[in-house]
Amino acid sequence: MNKFLHKVMGKWKLVAIVVSVLLVLGAVMQALFGFNVAPTVGDVKTLTVRYESNINEKSDALIEELCETKIRDADIMEKYHFTSNLSGEKVHEYVYTFSAEVDGEKLEVAKTALVTAFNAEKVKEDSPLFNSFIYVSVNEVKAVATLANGFVWRAFLALGVLCIGAFAYSAIRHGVNSGIMTAVSGLLSVGLAIALTTIVRIPVTGSVAYTFAFAGLLTVSVVSLFMGNVKKALKDPENAEKTEEDVVLQALDQKGMSYFVVALLVGIVLLGAIAVTPIAWLAVSAVVALVSSVVVSFLLLPGICAVVKKVEKKAKDRKGKYQGKKKEVKAE
Amino acid sequence: MGKKKSVVLLALITIVILVFCAISAIPSFPLSVFDKDSVKVWNPASEQYEFDADLSGGYYTLYYPEGVISSMEYDANLEELEVKGDTEETQEYVSSYHKHKGLYLSTDEDLAILDKVTDGEEETYVVTETFLEGFEQTVKMIKDRFSACGYSYYRISVVDDYAIKVELPKSENQSIVVLSYFSYTGEFNVADSSGTKLFPVKGDDAPSAYFKEFKAKKKNDVFYIEIRTTDAGSEKLKKMKTDASADQSGSATINFRVGENQVLNPAPSYLEEQTDNVWVVAMTDYTVAKAVAVTLNTAIAYGDLGITFEKVDNNDYAIYGAVYGGNAKNLLFTAVLIAVLAIVVLPILKMGGFGVAMAYSTLTYFGVTTFCFAFITESVLEVSAGTALVFLLGMIFSAFLSMRSYEAIKKEVSLGKTVESSVKIGFKKTILGAIDALAVLALGSVALLIGTGGFWALAIEALVCFVTAAFCALLWTRVISYLLMSASKDKYKYFRFVREDDDDE
């Protein structure tokens, strides 16, 4: 791990280029295509079956079986489906949701096939749907609004203030340069998370903003810890002869940070693996946010930090020599 | 601290932590298990949670403009007519509607939805510009109504170009009432109990010249609507109040309406002028007050758009479950519990006695945060998948900081110091770094409060998680470790350290 990080640290400029390219690509794709909006919040087409009779397990199962068969036969694939109850559970709706791009004609074919199938069942005395009232409709649903007023700009403002707050705290505790590195890391990791989510086309809802906040919070806290370690390590007389790169690497607490990142990754994957689809997609976004944070905090920042600390040391040494000269002149 | 005292204190702390965790995590069961006569049910704290739409579903309804019906309603009516057997009536019904995607639009000229167009020999219908424009503006107005209420989640969609579908999560209070109010369209007006319009009448200016704003307010559990008027508006209200008060029946009300729909109808004695041009009406529910205020404000701003929705009653609301299955909540809990279990068990395996102290800390974190999510509300803390993320981050971060302290203690012991002094030095060396990281997390969470809707709720949840993580990492682990160490015979074994003497042997 030490050798790997040492190698990467030496190539921080390459990492910076890769990150920049991803940010630019993400920005371009955002401008052209935006996010890949999840079907629960974007434009969709629906096939709805309304059942206005007393529902039981058999009728429920038969309706679902017929719907799935006829949809499959029409060569179209649903994104998801759900059931809803109206009129105090006297009316049930089965809503099958499709992409907005699905062929409308195929949807009508599925509808016609379903109507025929239900009509056949309604006249069969031994059928669970005998004499029942069932209606089928196909609709186009265009999303008009899904987020609270000002959600997007306030989310960005909040993330910006987060970075400013992190800068202020880090600057007071560890110096202005550390503060700048903390804030910039936070912004970069959020930007990279947004870019990767756009590029990889992860289906998003409004809750994707939570994963961006997760990236920002994780990065600023880890970097703040790291800056404290660097400051302490540079002050340690044992490290006086070491290069800035070695001191920074030592301050990275590789073992602990590795366990931390792995534990987070396992936790997020567990969340995505065991929970339902929208949470699974959120978990994928969260993994992307974690990856962004790791790239910025462990692959990019150490190299930049070493360079900054070198420059700081040179400036300090120059100041020391200058004072020395002044003292000499005074002595004369 | 003496061994006996440590053991007693530890036992008490263990009981408290286990009770906290039990309150949070033990699933519902009937209390008749203990008392045959009991009809009560034990519910964990997590039953108090309000979940977002992804996890618990919500309510939706459709607003159909007058003259627009769904294909299902059309099919049902047609089926009824066909059963009746009246061919003429059936034909009349068929020709009175024109199919448009999944909707049927009325061909009635009075409703001015469709224009008949002759294209050569073919006759067809096109939607009128008036209807199109009115519908577009109405969609905008509905959107403004939902925006103004600050919901963490809502969805407005246009269905087949001429119907509106509106959704709210189950967690929102009074969702059905709100969805009903937001369907009201038409001119803002004020009428008396008999329905006679008092305002605007001939000679009156636009409502905005009289009524500036309706605003929902709350003060110490008292909810009211504040009506800000102009001088002319105040004069109007005074006259209405006087006239209504003179009604001998005693049941007179002043009805603020949108179209024909009553939105706010206080008795004259409940409409009070608080200060100049500021009137108040008491309300029983803040969410309803907000919906009423927003409905009236948008009616004044938009005026009569020429679109009236069919009345939406209680039977027209659909309740839908979590979109991807009813087990969404249970699966999320299961995932979180597995993560908690892992963070409890792994440190014990790796770090021995100190791992046990970390396990206590993790269980405390779990109990406190789940408790806080349930009871720190004003129905604003909606639990979502984002909540699980910040919960995980806080828990794992707390464990990580404790692990740092362990490594620092281990390093001091390897330099030849005693365990006691290594513990002191180890904690001292790591505390500032931990404070830095946790302070930044807490500050970051405060910054996130700027966000709106679900983002704001997430910020509160993040603050709860990180403050609890700070308590656990900076103080609680250390206290428990101290107690366990005091009760332990061999402090090296407690930490799973290898003594240098043991090596020589």
Side-chain angles (χ1 to χ4, degrees):
Chain A
M1 180 75 168
N2 204 12
K3 279 184 188 166
F4 169 73
L5 281 175
H6 209 282
K7 225 176 181 176
V8 169
M9 226 167 96
K11 295 192 171 125
W12 68 268
K13 286 176 187 169
L14 180 65
V15 176
I17 291 170
V18 169
V19 167
S20 305
V21 165
L22 285 171
L23 285 173
V24 168
L25 183 63
V28 167
M29 283 189 73
Q30 251 312 310
L32 291 175
F33 308 112
F35 285 118
N36 177 19
V37 178
T40 49
V41 293
D43 294 353
V44 293
K45 284 184 180 149
T46 60
L47 185 145
T48 306
V49 174
R50 178 179 273 216
Y51 182 70
E52 291 183 4
S53 303
N54 287 325
I55 195 88
N56 56 50
E57 266 183 42
K58 284 184 182 166
S59 52
D60 185 46
L62 181 58
I63 290 171
E64 287 204 7
E65 188 197 325
L66 284 171
C67 287
E68 275 152 32
T69 310
K70 301 304 174 192
I71 287 169
R72 200 172 40 241
D73 291 347
D75 194 26
I76 45 178
M77 209 161 68
E78 55 151 311
K79 288 283 182 182
Y80 65 91
H81 69 273
F82 64 91
T83 54
S84 58
N85 298 314
L86 293 94
S87 302
E89 304 208 12
K90 287 181 192 157
V91 175
H92 308 273
E93 281 190 347
Y94 301 80
V95 183
Y96 289 81
T97 308
F98 305 85
S99 156
E101 282 79 37
V102 87
D103 189 342
E105 279 178 21
K106 287 185 178 178
L107 215 43
E108 285 294 332
V109 164
K111 179 195 168 184
T112 309
L114 267 174
V115 169
T116 310
F118 286 139
N119 286 342
E121 290 294 328
K122 278 199 268 188
V123 298
K124 266 195 225 164
E125 277 188 28
D126 59 346
S127 170
L129 303 181
F130 177 64
N131 262 355
S132 57
F133 298 97
I134 303 189
Y135 306 100
V136 185
S137 76
V138 162
N139 303 96
E140 268 179 30
V141 181
K142 288 185 185 154
V144 171
T146 55
L147 292 174
N149 206 22
F151 182 90
V152 174
W153 70 262
R154 283 175 77 161
F156 275 112
L157 181 65
L159 292 172
V161 171
L162 185 160
C163 293
I164 291 170
F167 159 75
Y169 185 88
S170 222
I172 292 167
R173 285 279 295 131
H174 312 303
V176 173
N177 290 335
S178 296
I180 293 171
M181 282 190 280
T182 308
V184 170
S185 302
L187 284 171
L188 269 179
S189 70
V190 171
L192 190 59
I194 295 172
L196 287 173
T197 305
T198 310
I199 293 166
V200 174
R201 311 307 289 159
I202 298 168
V204 300
T205 63
S207 38
V208 77
Y210 305 158
T211 61
F212 301 150
F214 173 77
L217 286 169
L218 179 61
T219 306
V220 296
S221 58
V222 161
V223 170
S224 183
L225 189 64
F226 171 55
M227 288 297 149
N229 287 350
V230 167
K231 186 181 175 188
K232 207 162 59 171
L234 284 171
K235 276 186 181 168
D236 189 346
E238 279 183 27
N239 295 329
E241 301 303 315
K242 289 185 184 170
T243 62
E244 278 73 25
E245 284 86 358
D246 289 335
V247 173
V248 162
L249 262 184
Q250 181 192 313
L252 203 49
D253 188 9
Q254 294 148 47
K255 189 178 165 191
M257 287 295 185
S258 309
Y259 283 143
F260 175 56
V261 168
V262 167
L264 264 181
L265 182 65
V266 168
I268 293 169
V269 166
L270 184 71
L271 205 63
I274 203 167
V276 290
T277 311
I279 299 168
W281 282 120
L282 192 82
V284 172
S285 287
V287 168
V288 165
L290 179 64
V291 164
S292 306
S293 186
V294 165
V295 163
V296 169
S297 310
F298 300 125
L299 303 186
L300 182 62
L301 184 66
I304 296 174
C305 186
V307 168
V308 168
K309 293 302 168 191
K310 252 187 217 165
V311 169
E312 272 182 12
K313 193 183 173 196
K314 273 185 189 162
K316 200 176 169 186
D317 289 343
R318 235 180 296 137
K319 210 176 170 187
K321 279 181 188 169
Y322 179 69
Q323 282 176 343
K325 271 190 180 171
K326 256 193 169 175
K327 278 182 188 166
E328 281 169 23
V329 165
K330 274 186 184 173
E332 281 169 13
Chain B
M1 185 184 278
K3 202 172 176 176
K4 280 184 186 165
K5 275 186 190 170
S6 304
V7 168
V8 167
L9 199 50
L10 260 174
L12 284 171
I13 289 171
T14 308
I15 291 167
V16 169
I17 290 173
L18 287 176
V19 164
F20 248 121
C21 292
I23 290 172
S24 304
I26 290 184
S28 304
F29 66 88
L31 288 173
S32 54
V33 167
F34 302 113
D35 177 2
K36 281 183 192 164
D37 298 328
S38 175
V39 294
K40 292 182 181 174
V41 175
W42 158 267
N43 283 314
S46 51
E47 286 292 319
Q48 307 292 328
Y49 294 167
E50 290 176 349
F51 292 90
D52 69 355
D54 273 348
L55 295 173
S56 71
Y59 300 99
Y60 72 83
T61 190
L62 279 104
Y63 298 157
Y64 293 100
E66 201 185 342
V68 177
I69 60 172
S70 67
S71 61
M72 287 197 260
E73 189 181 336
Y74 177 86
D75 290 342
N77 292 340
L78 192 62
E79 201 176 299
E80 214 175 293
L81 287 169
E82 281 169 354
V83 163
K84 232 168 138 182
D86 189 334
T87 329
E88 209 179 300
E89 205 182 334
T90 308
Q91 200 44 53
E92 201 182 313
Y93 183 74
V94 168
S95 59
S96 67
Y97 282 99
H98 170 73
K99 190 174 189 321
H100 175 84
K101 295 183 183 175
L103 299 174
Y104 281 84
L105 312 182
S106 173
T107 55
D108 186 346
E109 280 173 10
D110 292 337
L111 292 174
I113 296 175
L114 294 169
D115 270 337
K116 202 185 254 182
V117 170
T118 315
D119 183 17
E121 282 186 13
E122 260 186 51
E123 257 182 12
T124 186
Y125 288 97
V126 291
V127 176
T128 61
E129 282 300 318
T130 322
F131 179 78
L132 266 174
E133 210 179 294
F135 185 79
E136 254 175 55
Q137 285 299 306
T138 306
V139 170
K140 207 168 164 290
M141 182 178 71
I142 304 291
K143 201 173 145 189
D144 285 350
R145 284 177 175 172
F146 280 88
S147 292
C149 278
Y151 290 115
S152 61
Y153 170 82
Y154 65 88
R155 190 170 179 209
I156 302 170
S157 324
V158 169
V159 179
D160 293 326
D161 302 330
Y162 305 122
I164 303 175
K165 185 179 177 186
V166 289
E167 294 173 44
L168 279 175
K170 260 193 208 158
S171 57
E172 293 294 346
N173 278 347
Q174 304 279 7
S175 293
I176 292 175
V177 172
V178 170
L179 292 177
S180 183
Y181 275 125
F182 286 178
S183 72
Y184 296 165
T185 58
E187 177 199 47
F188 169 83
N189 62 94
V190 186
D192 64 15
S193 312
S194 64
T196 309
K197 209 156 72 164
L198 304 172
F199 170 88
V201 291
K202 205 174 175 183
D204 279 338
D205 291 327
S208 52
Y210 301 88
F211 297 95
K212 285 186 191 169
E213 192 187 15
F214 289 80
K215 205 165 182 178
K217 291 215 162 175
K218 58 181 169 181
K219 199 176 179 183
N220 301 331
D221 288 339
V222 172
F223 314 118
Y224 58 96
I225 289 182
E226 198 178 79
I227 308 172
R228 291 179 175 265
T229 63
T230 57
D231 292 338
S234 226
E235 288 307 313
K236 284 273 181 191
L237 280 179
K238 277 179 190 157
K239 185 168 185 321
M240 286 178 206
K241 183 171 171 164
T242 312
D243 291 345
S245 301
D247 188 317
Q248 297 293 328
S249 67
S251 60
T253 52
I254 299 166
N255 303 326
F256 295 86
R257 309 189 308 181
V258 175
E260 298 292 315
N261 304 295
Q262 211 160 264
V263 180
L264 182 64
N265 57 332
S269 54
Y270 287 115
L271 178 65
E272 291 176 23
E273 189 174 14
Q274 204 178 46
T275 57
D276 284 345
N277 297 341
V278 177
W279 296 71
V280 293
V281 176
M283 298 289 287
T284 52
D285 184 275
Y286 182 65
T287 307
V288 172
K290 242 166 61 170
V292 162
V294 162
T295 304
L296 292 171
N297 286 334
T298 47
I300 292 170
Y302 281 86
D304 187 356
L305 297 170
I307 301 285
T308 309
F309 291 123
E310 297 291 344
K311 189 158 171 61
V312 182
D313 63 32
N314 282 338
N315 289 336
D316 297 320
Y317 297 97
I319 304 168
Y320 66 94
V323 161
Y324 288 95
N327 278 332
K329 277 187 284 185
N330 294 336
L331 288 173
L332 183 66
F333 275 136
T334 309
V336 167
L337 282 175
I338 291 174
V340 170
L341 210 61
I343 298 292
V344 163
V345 168
L346 289 173
I348 297 173
L349 296 174
K350 186 108 172 77
M351 291 176 257
F354 190 78
V356 174
M358 282 174 64
Y360 269 82
S361 214
T362 304
L363 288 173
T364 306
Y365 174 89
F366 171 71
V368 169
T369 49
T370 47
F371 206 74
C372 287
F373 288 162
F375 298 111
I376 297 178
T377 64
E378 256 190 62
S379 61
V380 291
L381 279 196
E382 219 171 53
V383 171
S384 63
T387 313
L389 269 183
V390 292
F391 175 87
L392 274 179
L393 180 60
M395 181 176 69
I396 294 171
F397 206 76
S398 174
F400 163 67
L401 293 173
S402 299
M403 200 189 79
R404 276 180 85 239
S405 303
Y406 176 83
E407 293 295 325
I409 295 166
K410 192 175 177 183
K411 192 179 172 188
E412 294 303 316
V413 166
S414 70
L415 293 172
K417 295 179 187 144
T418 62
V419 171
E420 286 84 356
S421 64
S422 299
V423 165
K424 266 194 192 149
I425 299 168
F427 276 121
K428 197 176 169 186
K429 279 187 171 178
T430 52
I431 196 165
L432 279 179
I435 289 173
D436 284 341
L438 289 162
V440 166
L441 276 176
L443 275 174
S445 308
V446 168
L448 294 182
L449 286 170
I450 292 170
T452 187
F455 212 74
W456 187 86
L458 184 80
I460 304 261
E461 288 155 2
L463 209 52
V464 167
C465 287
F466 300 142
V467 167
T468 314
F471 166 73
C472 291
L474 298 175
L475 183 66
W476 198 233
T477 307
R478 197 169 171 177
V479 165
I480 302 291
S481 181
Y482 175 74
L483 291 173
L484 286 169
M485 219 168 70
S486 303
S488 161
K489 283 182 190 171
D490 186 339
K491 293 181 182 13
Y492 283 88
K493 265 192 182 157
Y494 169 79
F495 281 101
R496 287 229 180 120
F497 293 153
V498 176
R499 263 186 241 242
E500 282 182 13
D501 311 338
D502 293 345
D503 276 347
D504 292 339
E505 284 167 18

